[in-house]
Amino acid sequence: ATVSVLYCSIKMPMAVIFLIGMMMSTTVAKPAVAAEGWPAGFENFTLPPSPVIKYFEEQEIRHLYEQMTNKTMTDSELSALEVCVFGQTSMMAQVSAFRLLQFHIGTNASGDYVPELITIIPNTTVSGNYQACEDAEGGQFCYFESGSMVLSSMCVPTACTPDMLQEIASVLTPGVGVHCVGVDEDEFSSDPPAQAIASVLIVIMSLVVIASVLCRGYENFYLMVSKEQEVDGLVPLIPQKSTTNNDSEHQTEPSKLMKVLYACDMDTSMKEFMKTTTRPTNFLNGMRVLSICWVVLGHTLAFPMNPGMDDFINTVELTTKFRMLIVSSGLLAVDTFFFMSAFLACFLILKIVKPDPVFSFINTSKKVTMLWVDRYVRLTPLYALCLFTAWYLLQYMVDGPLANTYHRGGAVAINCEDNWWKNMLYIQNIGDESNISCFGHTWYLANDFQFLILGSFLMFGFMYTPLASIIATVVLLITSWILVAVLISDNYADYSTGSNYYRPWIRFGPYGIGLLTGYVLAKHKSFVQKSVQSTHIRWTGYVVSGIFMFGCMVFQWAMQKQTAPSESHWGKGMAQFQQVTYHIFWGLGLAILTLTWSCGHGGVIVRFLSHPVFEPLGKVTFGVYLIHPMVLAVLRVSLPALAHYSDAWLLATAVAAINGSYLGGWLAFIFIERPIGALWDLASGRKARRRRKPTDEEGEPSTPVKLVNAVGEDVVAGPAESQL
């Protein structure tokens, strides 16, 4: 080991000698099973059970060295190489045991030595003992990575610099990086962008706390004034506007300043968070909460692909078992959100917005524009803060040997330097596929915002020309199905996780069905109620929706199962049929259940989904959606080694991620989401634009909330939750 340290301290060119020794120290053994996709002549090669030191003739070593360095190897260099081969046996064992890569030194037609790369699917990943390395004297823990996926890790002498190891890795295979724990890592104290984002978060929370303290002080002072009105000269600290309703009652209206303070008040936000309402569509609260938990469960298995698992092939094989149906079909939860978004937006607009007696293009354009602006202002501040937090602060939230895999956001925020502004404009799902990698899971928000822009014309069209809007919606649905059939190929990644996965023309199906469902329930609820009164019709609908939705889950599981190396892939025809049907059938199943349950049917299932506990949890769904990848990253990367898959690990990690995400979502709601929404209501006069309030007979979807302080004053009025 001492000789090795001395050797690694020599000049950089010596690392090339080290490389030759490592490559020559590995022989290739015959496997029990041949691997697919290997170069001709190497079909039967596999990883050796253990590295074997193989001596090469002196002239072969010299020839290879001269070929790679254009220099002549001296006798001392050859001697150093022999020492290094023996001194770094442990290190060579780990490098040669990359489960993603296997190397073979062969000769070409001219007899020259050529390091040949053979790519195989990994079985297990060798992970060194991080704690033992930290405790060892003169050792440092390093790992090899490719695209934030850890290939192998090891303990090396501190004299072996990351540059030396990087030179070795880059020769072995392009694109593989090396990082040593504690070497060249960013420090928060010298990271201005991270400090700026942290400062913004601290300022926001401080302002909310200050506003809350002032509100409590105002309430106490006002109570004292109201009890001692006979004292001359004693007036409220904040100027008030007084109005007299009658001779016996005097009511004080809060000033604009107090309304602003109460918009940011934590106590008022908490009251809104805990407030529950009774409406026929309360079952959507349960659907919303269960769907976001479904998303987190699916991402628990998907997101650890960076930095990876220690048994990748076994993980893929295990997750294709039928017991993993609920996990594999988690992609359908996204379609559920598309359906609910369209249904709620259409239903609420048709119930709340008062149509003009005669269609006015200018007035309708103003309403449509304000609908877009309302959505943008309510979503973007929290969205931006979460994106920049993941980009600059996530790397300081994780701890462990693999923490640097999330440098500048890692897999959560790839390419944000070039594409963050596209996220802020909700256009990252259009154009080059690299656009989607910055805070990648938010492709849903881009689709949903684009659907709102398109759907708003259809929603307002339902007011004036219902038939034309229905025909337009159906045409868009058919167009989406045609594009699915035309664009996808027989490549699994192309229609599942590739460039078409997040495109709006592929995802419009459930949204379009949600629009039609909202229109039918808003304008023809009496007909729906009369129809579902029939037990035969109602149960026929349940059976049809059950077949549609369970069939979609099985179909999605079967498609996901193709990722296993032991499975054959579908052809183009099967892929087209699956993609055309499973989006639309899932949406149809949701439409049948929504129409039936909104009319008072559904029994124990609806009572469960309508439980009051789901309404507060549903209000923080947006925050949970934005935050959960960061929570998963903290849970995964803070481990001392790569995770080993088991069903117990999946369940425990998912439960921890759901709880952590809801905690973060609640904090985001109290400190950012609700204050921003309330301030926007004050600034835009959104309350005044709510001209018509639906009656209870119409099935009120949203009840305006009076935000009252301790004295019972109506401080700020707005919707219980921003359904639009």
Side-chain angles (χ1 to χ4, degrees), residues 355-364 367 464:
D356 298 318
V358 179
F359 175 76
S360 170
F361 177 79
I362 295 178
N363 289 340
T364 303
K367 295 174 184 177
Y464 302 102

Side-chain angles (χ1 to χ4, degrees), residues 477-547:
L477 287 171
I478 295 174
T479 303
S480 175
W481 303 332
I482 294 174
L483 287 173
V484 171
V486 171
L487 292 177
I488 65 175
S489 68
D490 56 355
N491 181 0
Y492 168 83
D494 190 41
Y495 60 82
S496 174
T497 57
S499 59
N500 286 322
Y501 176 76
Y502 48 82
R503 303 297 188 184
W505 46 86
I506 301 295
R507 290 289 183 172
F508 182 75
Y511 195 92
I513 295 173
L515 290 176
L516 294 175
T517 306
Y519 166 75
V520 170
L521 192 61
K523 296 298 185 180
H524 304 285
K525 185 174 182 180
S526 58
F527 171 77
V528 177
Q529 285 178 321
K530 185 177 180 180
S531 299
V532 297
Q533 288 296 329
S534 171
T535 303
H536 296 293
I537 294 178
R538 191 165 66 251
W539 279 98
T540 299
Y542 287 152
V543 171
V544 171
S545 64
I547 293 174

Side-chain angles (χ1 to χ4, degrees), residues 228-249:
E228 302 179 9
Q229 292 181 356
E230 69 278 7
V231 180
D232 294 334
L234 191 57
V235 296
L237 183 63
I238 305 297
Q240 304 293 307
K241 296 179 182 179
S242 299
T243 59
T244 303
N245 297 332
N246 50 53
D247 295 336
S248 60
E249 182 181 357

